[in-house]
Amino acid sequence: MDLLNQLETILESDPLIDEVGLIHPSQFITLSKECSESSNSSSDGAFRPANTKFWNRDHKLGISTEILLPVCKAAKSAFMDAMKQYKTHGDLSVNKREDKNMVYGHSSSCQSFESEVMKHSRALLLLSCDLGTAWNARKLVVSKKQQLPMFTDELHLSALVLSYSHKSEQAWSHRRWVIKMICEKYSNLQQIIAKESELVEKIAERSKMNYRAWNHRCWLVSYMTREQMLYELKKSRDWAGLHVADNSCFHYRRRLMLGISENKQGDDPSYDVENYQVVKEELDLNEALIKRYIGREALWLHRRFLSLCLIRHLMTTTHGISCHSTSMDNEINIFLDKELRLLDSCSTIQDTEFEDFEGQAMYSTMYFLWLIKQIPEFRKIELQEKLKAGNLKNILHKTCPERSFLWDVLEL
Amino acid sequence: MAELAVDKHVKYILAVEKNKDSFESVVMDHLRMNGAYWGLTALDLLGKLDSVNVDEVISWILKCQHESGGFSGNIGHDPHILYTLSAVQVLALFNKLDVLDIDKVATYITGLQNEDGSFSGDMWGEVDTRFSYIAICCLSILCCLGKINVEKAVSYILSCKNLDGGFGCTPGVFCCVGALALTGSLHYVDKDLLGWWLCERQVKSGGLNGRPEKLPDVCYSWWVLSSLIMIDRVHWIDKEKLVKFILDCQDVENGGISDRPDDAVDVYHTYFGVAGLSLLNYPGLKAIDPAYALPVDVVNRIFFSG
């Protein structure tokens, strides 16, 4: 219990802690030496006894690996006890609603149980961040109080946890709950969403291909305005270009684009034009990246989505009715010709030493086959001629023989 | 080719059940119910479920049930739909579903369905397609699927666009496909398109990954493989290569299976490895149902003996 007290005292005295880490006992000695050396040179010259269990300076918290298990057990035990007390007392005060001597919900004992629950759950969650019951306890307390500073504290705690446990599903889920609560009561929604999006990007930088972080960012899209979606797409463009292997990042871009195209707000034809522009720009970006970063599967997968968007767009009028017009057919033909040329340029394996060229050939072939699968019937006849000229079947056999069966699936 | 070290894995699983004092077990003990499902189902597939004390397990499971009807991951923790399914699955393994007040469990689950047909995981409202699968699977095992709004549940799943693969994660895809399979709604799926994306998860080593550009992981031998089986496209991957990959992930000295060769083992991957091998008809293993994630004989017992 003493260890737990120490930890909780530190957390209480330093609410700005932004980093938590585990320290091997031997490292403590080094850190303590550095600390006493620098404090000797400071004015007070006070001696600080070396603490070999916890380290707290500059808003960083270090915990010795030696005490991790005991302090975790102590925190869990204290938390479970506090929860029992809190819930029992909660039931009692509900039953005693008629008792005039009871100040419901604000009695000092009720408040002290509450603060015990919050205190112990905070320590516990820093050590064992996936304990749903502890997060739920905090939800319970905070939802009863409904105070913005408490909601903000929850965001702070979960951000701290996520800074070292990038994938903690419980922490991400807790944030979503808090945001929903805040959005219901307070209306600075856009700002919250923008900040949340930035947080994800920061964490994604440290923790590559973090599905849960990006999934959280996708969840935010349903709270965004069309302008915000367009802004997000533009703002994260450069980041995407620097992380071309991160499929989750492109999944997010697809989610934004879907949101943009679905968010019509009336029949204004300018929206359709804008949507078309968005797809075209993304296709251009994608092509540039494909040519620069050879053999990146995520890029080719992204292209599948984009091409489909474009074709569907070309096949519908602004009123959403499918129709064939010669100019439209032309557009689609031009597009397919371009894609065929892209395929040609990618399917020559220039150098068998680097797997990337082989990858490029395989992915481009698979992309094109997938495109054929997606195109409505009436196109296939025109395309077949072009394909015969392009010798697609041979390329398939050469680049990914294990997928040769897909040729039959296509029924060409 | 390596062989499946059955005895070692059984020993490993039984040892894990007993170890309660490491840091790992302390931080994982909130999901002990899931762990029980993984360990016990793996034991059953290996033909060794009788190595376990049934009464002890059942008594512990029942202590995890709450007033609401839901089950928690361990005694004293909050209930959640995830643990409720695992509890029901374990009871099914032991043919002890009769210890349940089925209406109570059903009430908990039906209470978690939202207006739009989706399911929350617990009273705090987080929505996820995984929870749709869990609700459908659980109520199906309890033979009371009709208690939820199945039509809305299905339409919600279809609206999630997980089904051409490019829109989600593979466990999500499995959950959507599984839920549709259990509700007789697989005809809504474009199987060629979905199978396409799934078969592209097989990498050169023969293992399956969960998303483009990620390393293969044994657990996807379940998520991807069972999905392919449910949509009748399992011939689109190289099964032999996958078997070899899974066998390479074993720790043949100490037992257990890891996510990929030479990594540390755990019960989760041990279960998925064994389950994957079962789906691939590896000799000596019981057959497993791809939608229920339970041995076929357990599923048959539920539906064909009243």
Side-chain angles (χ1 to χ4, degrees):
Chain A
M1 260 325 251
D2 181 54
L3 283 174
L4 182 60
N5 277 332
Q6 278 185 54
L7 173 59
E8 289 172 346
T9 309
I10 294 174
L11 293 173
E12 189 63 45
S13 64
D14 187 357
L16 298 175
I17 289 176
D18 59 14
E19 211 179 301
V20 178
L22 293 177
I23 305 182
H24 192 270
S26 59
Q27 288 174 289
F28 266 105
I29 303 167
T30 325
L31 285 166
S32 297
K33 272 201 190 129
E34 286 172 13
C35 176
S36 56
E37 271 162 23
S38 64
S39 69
N40 278 339
S41 62
S42 74
S43 55
D44 66 359
F47 174 70
R48 285 189 184 79
N51 183 335
T52 55
K53 301 176 180 103
F54 298 103
W55 177 260
N56 172 224
R57 254 169 91 89
D58 304 325
H59 307 304
K60 315 288 174 204
L61 172 63
I63 303 172
S64 167
T65 50
E66 234 174 17
I67 54 140
L68 194 53
L69 183 56
V71 74
C72 192
K73 281 177 155 172
K76 186 177 260 181
S77 172
F79 165 72
M80 291 298 209
D81 282 341
M83 245 345 244
K84 256 197 208 131
Q85 306 259 38
Y86 178 66
K87 283 193 169 155
T88 326
H89 193 270
D91 288 342
L92 285 175
S93 55
V94 162
N95 292 334
K96 284 189 174 167
R97 219 167 257 163
E98 301 301 313
D99 188 331
K100 289 178 199 145
N101 295 328
M102 254 331 235
V103 182
Y104 344 111
H106 295 295
S107 74
S108 59
S109 51
C110 188
Q111 260 183 322
S112 84
F113 291 137
E114 221 173 62
S115 69
E116 288 289 285
V117 167
M118 294 301 267
K119 184 174 71 166
H120 294 314
S121 61
R122 178 171 56 179
L124 180 55
L125 286 169
L126 288 180
L127 305 166
S128 176
C129 63
D130 278 322
L131 191 48
T133 305
W135 289 111
N136 291 347
R138 298 183 74 86
K139 288 183 180 80
L140 191 60
V141 170
V142 169
S143 61
K144 282 188 179 164
K145 286 288 173 69
Q146 293 281 339
Q147 290 165 10
L148 186 58
M150 289 191 92
F151 288 125
T152 317
D153 273 348
E154 294 310 297
L155 291 178
H156 186 88
L157 176 61
S158 51
L160 179 56
V161 166
L162 286 168
S163 71
Y164 58 91
S165 280
H166 307 121
K167 297 183 183 169
S168 168
E169 179 61 22
Q170 293 290 345
W172 286 115
S173 174
H174 193 67
R175 286 190 84 79
R176 287 192 278 275
W177 181 84
V178 173
I179 289 171
K180 270 195 275 188
M181 290 285 114
I182 297 178
C183 291
E184 276 167 25
K185 281 198 80 173
Y186 308 93
S187 54
N188 52 341
L189 180 57
Q190 260 33 77
Q191 212 190 15
I192 296 171
I193 300 300
K195 277 184 84 176
E196 199 67 10
S197 203
E198 270 173 38
L199 174 78
V200 171
E201 195 171 283
K202 207 176 73 174
I203 290 179
E205 183 61 48
R206 280 192 258 169
S207 162
K208 303 292 197 292
M209 302 201 239
N210 182 336
Y211 172 76
R212 292 198 170 121
W214 286 101
N215 180 53
H216 185 74
R217 209 171 179 186
C218 285
W219 176 81
L220 294 170
V221 177
S222 43
Y223 287 83
M224 290 182 190
T225 61
R226 191 187 152 85
E227 284 70 47
Q228 219 171 358
M229 292 180 201
L230 287 161
Y231 176 70
E232 278 285 314
L233 196 62
K234 198 164 135 199
K235 201 167 76 102
S236 55
R237 216 183 119 102
D238 289 341
W239 201 94
L242 293 169
H243 298 83
V244 293
D246 196 332
N247 188 61
S248 302
C249 160
F250 291 104
H251 176 192
Y252 174 62
R253 294 182 77 74
R254 294 193 278 276
R255 176 70 187 90
L256 285 170
M257 291 173 73
L258 275 175
I260 290 165
S261 71
E262 284 166 9
N263 196 316
K264 284 244 167 91
Q265 291 163 280
D267 262 331
D268 190 343
S270 70
Y271 280 135
D272 277 334
V273 173
E274 197 172 38
N275 290 347
Y276 183 66
Q277 270 310 110
V278 165
V279 177
K280 281 222 77 196
E281 270 174 31
E282 192 76 5
L283 269 165
D284 290 339
L285 170 67
N286 182 260
E287 187 168 342
L289 292 173
I290 277 176
K291 290 183 170 155
R292 198 184 316 155
Y293 299 103
I294 301 187
R296 299 271 61 91
E297 191 181 358
L299 292 175
W300 285 102
L301 239 73
H302 193 51
R303 199 168 186 82
R304 292 182 191 182
F305 169 87
L306 298 175
S307 296
L308 196 62
C309 276
L310 192 79
I311 292 177
R312 282 187 185 158
H313 197 100
L314 288 173
M315 282 173 57
T316 61
T317 64
T318 52
H319 299 291
I321 306 163
S322 216
C323 79
H324 316 297
S325 81
T326 356
S327 69
M328 224 169 272
D329 276 8
N330 266 344
E331 292 265 11
I332 297 183
N333 271 327
I334 292 169
F335 174 69
L336 289 174
D337 276 337
K338 257 194 83 191
E339 294 307 290
L340 206 48
R341 282 200 298 278
L342 181 62
L343 169 65
D344 271 338
S345 71
C346 293
S347 47
T348 6
I349 302 173
Q350 292 155 4
D351 191 331
T352 46
E353 267 213 50
F354 295 106
E355 281 181 357
D356 294 344
F357 288 110
E358 282 185 34
Q360 187 85 326
M362 180 173 90
Y363 298 135
S364 56
T365 310
M366 292 295 285
Y367 158 70
F368 207 82
L369 288 173
W370 186 91
L371 205 58
I372 296 170
K373 182 97 177 79
Q374 293 285 62
I375 293 172
E377 288 302 290
F378 75 92
R379 297 244 161 264
K380 286 206 178 144
I381 310 144
E382 295 161 40
L383 202 54
Q384 287 221 41
E385 297 307 312
K386 299 193 195 190
L387 293 178
K388 283 192 185 118
N391 218 0
L392 189 59
K393 195 173 181 184
N394 285 341
I395 298 173
L396 176 62
H397 282 307
K398 209 173 79 168
T399 59
C400 40
E402 65 273 17
R403 312 254 193 254
S404 295
F405 64 87
L406 285 171
W407 189 262
D408 301 318
V409 171
L410 293 173
E411 293 165 351
L412 285 169
Chain B
M1 174 147 81
E3 275 194 14
L4 186 63
V6 173
D7 292 333
K8 297 273 182 171
H9 298 320
V10 170
K11 267 210 183 104
Y12 168 74
I13 293 170
L14 294 172
V16 163
E17 287 287 295
K18 300 204 165 71
N19 177 11
K20 284 183 188 153
D21 232 16
S22 64
F23 180 67
E24 282 70 33
S25 64
V26 169
V27 298
M28 300 290 233
D29 82 351
H30 64 281
L31 50 69
R32 195 167 160 81
M33 191 64 74
N34 289 156
Y37 161 73
W38 297 322
L40 295 169
T41 311
L43 283 176
D44 198 11
L45 294 174
L46 295 165
K48 293 286 198 281
L49 189 59
D50 50 12
S51 320
V52 169
N53 184 326
V54 184
D55 294 325
E56 255 177 45
V57 176
I58 307 244
S59 126
W60 167 75
I61 289 179
L62 291 174
K63 287 190 187 133
C64 294
Q65 188 170 30
H66 282 244
E67 272 183 46
S68 57
F71 287 81
S72 55
N74 208 337
I75 299 171
H77 292 245
D78 287 351
H80 196 282
I81 206 175
L82 283 167
Y83 308 119
T84 307
L85 174 62
S86 290
V88 168
Q89 283 171 317
V90 171
L91 290 172
L93 283 178
F94 290 120
N95 196 13
K96 293 277 187 190
L97 287 169
D98 51 12
V99 309
L100 281 177
D101 175 350
I102 290 179
D103 280 335
K104 209 169 166 201
V105 182
T107 305
Y108 176 71
I109 293 182
T110 51
L112 292 171
Q113 185 167 29
N114 302 306
E115 276 295 307
D116 61 359
S118 67
F119 280 85
S120 300
D122 63 12
M123 61 178 277
W124 298 107
E126 172 91 344
V127 169
D128 192 310
T129 46
R130 282 181 299 155
F131 305 148
S132 298
Y133 164 73
I134 287 170
I136 288 170
C137 184
C138 195
L139 290 180
S140 195
I141 292 172
L142 299 173
C143 301
C144 52
L145 187 55
K147 292 198 170 178
I148 55 162
N149 185 330
V150 177
E151 208 184 294
K152 274 199 156 173
V154 169
S155 72
Y156 174 77
I157 292 168
L158 292 172
S159 76
C160 287
K161 298 185 168 73
N162 257 342
L163 302 174
D164 44 350
F167 293 88
C169 63
T170 19
V173 170
F174 163 78
C175 287
C176 290
V177 176
L180 293 173
L182 294 175
T183 52
S185 320
L186 275 177
H187 52 280
Y188 290 116
V189 176
D190 184 335
K191 296 178 183 169
D192 281 346
L193 208 55
L194 181 57
W196 191 302
W197 189 83
L198 288 171
C199 80
E200 286 183 304
R201 299 301 102 235
Q202 186 162 40
V203 300
K204 286 221 147 63
S205 65
L208 303 174
N209 66 19
R211 290 178 279 144
E213 308 253 22
K214 294 225 86 173
L215 293 173
D217 183 325
V218 151
C219 67
Y220 297 113
S221 311
W222 173 264
W223 307 122
V224 172
L225 194 54
S226 56
S227 302
L228 281 169
I229 289 178
M230 287 189 273
I231 59 170
D232 195 28
R233 298 286 184 276
V234 72
H235 51 287
W236 284 12
I237 56 161
D238 186 330
K239 292 193 263 185
E240 257 182 53
K241 268 184 141 180
L242 181 55
V243 169
K244 181 172 184 304
F245 175 79
I246 298 174
L247 293 173
D248 283 345
C249 295
Q250 299 179 93
D251 179 344
V252 291
E253 296 279 312
N254 306 306
I257 298 177
S258 62
D259 55 358
R260 59 190 71 91
D262 303 323
D263 273 357
V265 302
D266 58 49
V267 151
Y268 173 86
H269 289 98
T270 304
Y271 161 70
F272 284 116
V274 172
L277 287 172
S278 167
L279 288 177
L280 294 163
N281 302 312
Y282 190 85
L285 294 176
K286 270 185 160 187
I288 189 168
D289 183 294
Y292 287 101
L294 283 170
V296 169
D297 60 355
V298 172
V299 176
N300 288 341
R301 197 167 55 201
I302 295 169
F303 292 108
F304 298 126
S305 31

